[in-house]
Amino acid sequence: GQSLEQPSEVTAVEGAIVQINCTYQTSGFYGLSWYQQHDGGAPTFLSYNGLDGLEETGRFSSFLSRSDSYGYLLLQELQMKDSASYFCAVCNTDKLIFGTGTRLQVFP
Amino acid sequence: DTGVSQDPRHKITKRGQNVTFRCDPISEHNRLYWYRQTLGQGPEFLTYFQNEAQLEKSRLLSDRFSAERPKGSFSTLEIQRTEQGDSAMYLCASSRKGGGETQYFGPGTRLLVL
């Protein structure tokens, strides 16, 4: 079977740093992607880790440890517009297997 | 790059009716994916195409669901004999070949089965 676990909800204040963890168990694994989805919107790609280590894209960074079946998304200098759901997704051959998502609420 | 488009954006139907959704991917993308998303859940993979070939279909997908991509461009997803449990957001995404980790999603079609 395949499963991904993320915290259901995280809250933080503007300007803070937040880390969203993801652990996975899958039968096939090519890498870990992260997507953002605002209420009523479509998922949008944020970051991908195909290899162990840290990937940095502006205020967002993502980390992967294959040996621990673990990854995280780090959001820095939080802004109100970052309030959204964040999904980790295992890239399995060419399809994505999504977690249940973490709802991030940013407060002023 | 005009993005992925889906039509219709909303569909209300009665149980037992057939519905068809359309997805137009980003023009240079040869991979096209269909997902279903219910409230509070992540997108659930349904099927995907490379050009006109359907390469994989979820084992969880009922025989009432069928998808086509006849000319390797747009795709249609048909649900026959709809059930209330089919109510969900149906998302389409596209990517370049070998770029399955980076998918571009359309706005989705929200289906409500009464």
Side-chain angles (χ1 to χ4, degrees):
Chain A
Q2 305 189 77
S3 67
L4 293 91
E5 291 191 11
Q6 306 177 231
S8 59
E9 189 166 352
V10 174
T11 60
V13 296
E14 271 188 301
I17 300 172
V18 72
Q19 179 173 312
I20 300 174
N21 298 321
C22 173
T23 57
Y24 59 87
Q25 276 189 309
T26 63
S27 55
F29 181 85
Y30 284 73
L32 193 68
S33 294
W34 288 91
Y35 283 77
Q36 178 192 62
Q37 186 177 31
H38 287 97
D39 285 347
T44 56
F45 172 79
L46 290 178
S47 187
Y48 173 71
N49 294 78
L51 301 172
D52 283 3
L54 192 68
E55 291 286 338
E56 296 181 83
T57 310
R59 294 188 297 114
F60 296 168
S61 302
S62 59
F63 172 83
L64 175 66
S65 169
R66 286 173 173 259
S67 60
D68 295 322
S69 297
Y70 164 76
Y72 67 72
L73 179 69
L74 190 73
L75 299 88
Q76 302 182 73
E77 301 172 15
L78 281 174
Q79 302 175 10
M80 295 294 291
K81 68 178 181 180
D82 297 328
S83 292
S85 292
Y86 292 84
F87 296 92
C88 60
V90 165
C91 187
N92 181 320
T93 58
D94 285 303
K95 66 180 184 285
L96 293 173
I97 308 298
F98 284 84
T100 52
T102 298
R103 189 170 183 86
L104 170 64
Q105 292 191 69
V106 180
F107 294 98
Chain B
D1 184 347
T2 57
V4 178
S5 61
Q6 294 186 244
D7 183 70
R9 296 290 306 277
H10 303 273
K11 180 71 176 178
I12 300 174
T13 192
K14 293 182 179 178
R15 188 161 48 98
Q17 298 294 304
N18 299 344
V19 294
T20 300
F21 309 142
R22 175 178 170 127
C23 171
D24 287 87
I26 293 171
S27 57
E28 62 266 29
H29 287 178
N30 54 15
R31 292 260 168 97
L32 186 149
Y33 309 79
W34 285 99
Y35 294 85
R36 176 172 59 193
Q37 186 176 27
T38 53
L39 197 62
Q41 300 296 313
E44 174 193 15
F45 170 78
L46 296 179
T47 187
Y48 87 99
F49 294 83
Q50 179 170 305
N51 299 316
E52 66 275 9
Q54 187 172 18
L55 296 188
E56 188 171 345
K57 186 175 176 180
S58 170
R59 285 171 290 176
L60 302 176
L61 203 58
S62 159
D63 290 343
R64 297 182 296 105
F65 287 70
S66 62
E68 293 184 340
R69 194 182 182 196
K71 296 182 179 179
S73 56
F74 73 91
S75 175
T76 58
L77 177 69
E78 180 182 20
I79 309 174
Q80 296 182 325
R81 305 181 302 282
T82 53
E83 301 173 355
Q84 287 185 325
D86 297 331
S87 296
M89 175 74 85
Y90 289 84
L91 293 163
C92 175
S94 69
S95 75
R96 293 183 175 85
K97 183 180 177 182
E101 75 283 355
T102 309
Q103 297 181 18
Y104 296 83
F105 283 80
T109 295
R110 185 169 294 282
L111 173 66
L112 178 61
V113 182
L114 302 176

